[in-house]
C-alpha cells in the first residue's frame, strides 16, 4: 500500500509532468477527428489507410465516425496512428494541478465538518473561532487520511 509520503511524491512528479500539457484545450480534436485530419494532411485516402491497417475502406470510415462519437477503442486509435506513422498519446490532464484538486477536496471535507460542529455549538449556545493554524493542520490531516475521497464532503 502506498504511504502518505509516496502518494505526495507521486502527485508532485505527475504535476511536474502534466503541467506543460495545460491547458488541455490545446489538444482538442479537430472537427472531423484526428484520424481524418492526419489522413487528409498526409494525402492518404480511406482505402489506402484501410490497406495499411488490413481492414476495409468502410471500416476506416466507421472508425472515423466512432472517433467523433467517442465510441472508438484505444487499440483502434493506436492501430490507425501506427498505420499513418504516428504515435497515439493520451493523458489525463488535470484542470489545475493534482495538488490543488486534493487541497480543494480536503477543504470541502473540512467545511462540512466545521458546519456540523458549528450547528452543534449553536444548539448548545457556544461560540468559537477556528484559528488558521488549526485549519492548516486539519487540512493536512484530511489529505493524509482515508476520509479525503470517501463519505461526506466528497461530492463536487
Amino acid at each position: 500500500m502506498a504511504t502518505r509520503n509516496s502518494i505526495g511524491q507521486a502527485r508532485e512528479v505527475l504535476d511536474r509532468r502534466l503541467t506543460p500539457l495545460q491547458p488541455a484545450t490545446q489538444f482538442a480534436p479537430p472537427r472531423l477527428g484526428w484520424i481524418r485530419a492526419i489522413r487528409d494532411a498526409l494525402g492518404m485516402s480511406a482505402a489506402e489507410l484501410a490497406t495499411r491497417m488490413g481492414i476495409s475502406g468502410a471500416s476506416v470510415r466507421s472508425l472515423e465516425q466512432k472517433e467523433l462519437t467517442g465510441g472508438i477503442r484505444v487499440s483502434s486509435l493506436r492501430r490507425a496512428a501506427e498505420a499513418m506513422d504516428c504515435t497515439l498519446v493520451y493523458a489525463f490532464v488535470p484542470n489545475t494541478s493534482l495538488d490543488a484538486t486534493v487541497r480543494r477536496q480536503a477543504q470541502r471535507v473540512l467545511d462540512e465538518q466545521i458546519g456540523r460542529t458549528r450547528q452543534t455549538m449553536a444548539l448548545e449556545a457556544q461560540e468559537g473561532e477556528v484559528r488558521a493554524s488549526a485549519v492548516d493542520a486539519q487540512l493536512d490531516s484530511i489529505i493524509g487520511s482515508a476520509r479525503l475521497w470517501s463519505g461526506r464532503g466528497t461530492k463536487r
Side-chain angles (χ1 to χ4, degrees):
M1 181 166 194
T3 65
R4 181 180 180 172
N5 194 31
S6 67
I7 291 170
Q9 288 174 340
R11 198 166 41 240
E12 283 180 34
V13 167
L14 284 172
D15 273 339
R16 277 195 306 270
R17 188 172 173 189
L18 297 172
T19 295
L21 300 179
Q22 294 173 339
T25 54
Q26 66 182 314
F27 302 105
R31 185 175 59 82
L32 297 177
W34 286 112
I35 296 172
R36 178 67 185 267
I38 297 293
R39 183 171 66 74
D40 287 348
L42 292 173
M44 185 184 293
S45 70
E48 291 165 334
L49 177 58
T51 299
R52 294 174 69 94
M53 293 181 68
I55 60 176
S56 69
S59 294
V60 166
R61 286 183 286 282
S62 174
L63 285 177
E64 291 173 348
Q65 278 301 316
K66 287 179 180 175
E67 182 189 2
L68 293 176
T69 61
I72 193 167
R73 293 179 177 191
V74 172
S75 60
S76 297
L77 283 171
R78 183 171 291 120
R79 286 185 54 219
E82 290 170 356
M84 295 185 289
D85 196 25
C86 294
T87 301
L88 173 69
V89 176
Y90 76 88
F92 288 15
V93 180
N95 294 326
T96 55
S97 70
L98 297 175
D99 189 58
T101 299
V102 165
R103 293 209 166 275
R104 192 173 45 250
Q105 179 60 21
Q107 186 66 56
R108 284 186 191 117
V109 172
L110 183 58
D111 288 347
E112 190 172 304
Q113 289 174 347
I114 289 172
R116 285 194 307 266
T117 301
R118 283 194 174 138
Q119 186 176 22
T120 302
M121 291 174 75
L123 290 173
E124 296 172 358
Q126 299 175 353
E127 291 184 23
E129 279 296 315
V130 180
R131 292 183 314 218
S133 61
V135 169
D136 288 342
Q138 274 301 108
L139 289 174
D140 287 342
S141 173
I142 291 168
I143 289 170
S145 73
R147 62 190 161 143
L148 179 62
W149 295 105
S150 62
R152 295 179 175 198
T154 60
K155 294 180 180 147
R156 297 180 68 194

